[in-house]
Amino acid sequence: METLKMYLITVFVLLGTGLTVNSEIHSLTYIYTGFSKPVGLPGIHEFTAMGQLDGRMIDYYDSDDQKKVPKQDWMKERLPADYWDKGTQSRQSKQQWFNVNINILKNRMNQTDHDRHVLQWMHGCEGETRPDGTLKFVRGVDMYNYDGRDFLSFDDAHSVWVAAADIAVQTKRKWDEVQVLKEYTKGYLENECIDWLSKFMLYGKKQLEAACMYDRK
């Protein structure tokens, strides 16, 4: 139960990290959470993934339904069926990746199957609105958390992985050696993520404007 408490605290921390809605800065963030075994509590799944635009959920996936679904009407209306089909396949692959890597971390730390462990991954970007309406990249986030503690993050400015704990040094060294991974991560944060953020802002423009007006009251 102690690990579960840390998980719940960590989720709240992640959800509140740099996801502020205002007229100039916008964000697109994806948060993945995987447990080493089922939790057995309502509403908490062995694996979940969610997308957020300016802190509001836009899509969702969990290990029980195993289907990526829209959480905003405009997402459902503007994105074709194959977007959701491909998204579902991607989430299913990530669910398997989480299962494999939780076991790797458990073995590395000599942990048993008796306790429940949790791995989280958050990645996304923030963009600033220019006068012409386009977005300028501000910062990217790609970070991992294990059992409620920071584990590994990507330094976008220097294109290196940063170990937040001694146990993460082995992973850092391994990932730093994969040049294509670093290039992909940097490219995704600075370009692809910003492109999707721009599209989603356009698709959900009316709702975002209404949310901004509400937040200013």
Side-chain angles (χ1 to χ4, degrees), residues 74-125:
W74 55 266
M75 286 284 286
K76 183 177 181 180
E77 294 167 358
R78 298 299 299 272
L79 293 162
D82 67 338
Y83 172 87
W84 301 107
D85 292 338
K86 292 177 181 177
T88 293
Q89 294 172 9
S90 175
R91 296 296 185 265
Q92 290 173 344
S93 295
K94 286 183 173 64
Q95 181 179 340
Q96 295 175 359
W97 184 92
F98 265 68
N99 289 337
V100 170
N101 283 275
I102 287 176
N103 286 327
I104 290 174
L105 291 174
K106 283 168 51 183
N107 291 334
R108 187 181 299 175
M109 299 181 190
N110 296 317
Q111 295 172 331
T112 67
D113 293 332
H114 177 72
D115 295 322
R116 184 178 291 105
H117 303 281
V118 56
L119 174 64
Q120 289 182 290
W121 175 34
M122 180 175 75
H123 71 98
C125 57

Side-chain angles (χ1 to χ4, degrees), residues 130-213:
R130 295 189 178 105
D132 63 0
T134 60
L135 282 179
K136 176 185 177 182
F137 173 79
V138 175
R139 75 183 186 106
V141 175
D142 195 310
M143 58 186 295
Y144 294 83
N145 181 291
Y146 185 68
D147 281 351
R149 297 181 177 87
D150 290 344
F151 181 76
L152 192 71
S153 63
F154 185 71
D155 181 344
D156 178 63
H158 301 94
S159 293
V160 294
W161 292 95
V162 179
D166 291 342
I167 197 68
V169 171
Q170 182 177 342
T171 302
K172 170 207 160 35
R173 291 173 177 168
K174 181 178 179 180
W175 288 12
D176 274 342
E177 292 176 355
V178 185
Q179 185 65 25
V180 66
L181 173 61
K182 294 189 293 184
E183 291 176 355
Y184 171 81
T185 303
K186 184 178 179 66
Y188 173 82
L189 297 177
E190 296 184 359
N191 299 301
E192 185 177 346
C193 182
I194 290 293
D195 288 344
W196 279 112
L197 175 55
S198 298
K199 290 179 183 178
F200 291 156
M201 285 177 57
L202 177 62
Y203 296 164
K205 184 177 180 180
K206 291 183 179 179
Q207 185 182 40
L208 288 172
E209 290 176 346
C212 287
M213 291 298 295

Side-chain angles (χ1 to χ4, degrees), residues 54-86:
D54 286 347
R56 290 175 170 81
M57 192 185 301
I58 57 174
D59 62 55
Y60 177 80
Y61 171 97
D62 65 54
S63 51
D64 289 341
D65 291 336
Q66 295 199 15
K67 185 176 182 180
K68 182 179 178 179
V69 295
K71 300 302 287 186
Q72 301 292 337
D73 290 339
W74 55 266
M75 286 284 286
K76 183 177 181 180
E77 294 167 358
R78 298 299 299 272
L79 293 162
D82 67 338
Y83 172 87
W84 301 107
D85 292 338
K86 292 177 181 177

Side-chain angles (χ1 to χ4, degrees), residues 13-21 27-29 31 52-56 122 125-126 139:
V13 171
L14 288 178
L15 293 180
T17 303
L19 304 180
T20 305
V21 179
S27 63
L28 176 63
T29 310
I31 301 172
Q52 294 187 327
L53 177 65
D54 286 347
R56 290 175 170 81
M122 180 175 75
C125 57
E126 287 186 354
R139 75 183 186 106

Side-chain angles (χ1 to χ4, degrees), residues 21-24 208-217:
V21 179
N22 56 54
S23 60
E24 296 183 353
L208 288 172
E209 290 176 346
C212 287
M213 291 298 295
Y214 177 82
D215 290 341
R216 289 171 185 156
K217 292 181 179 178

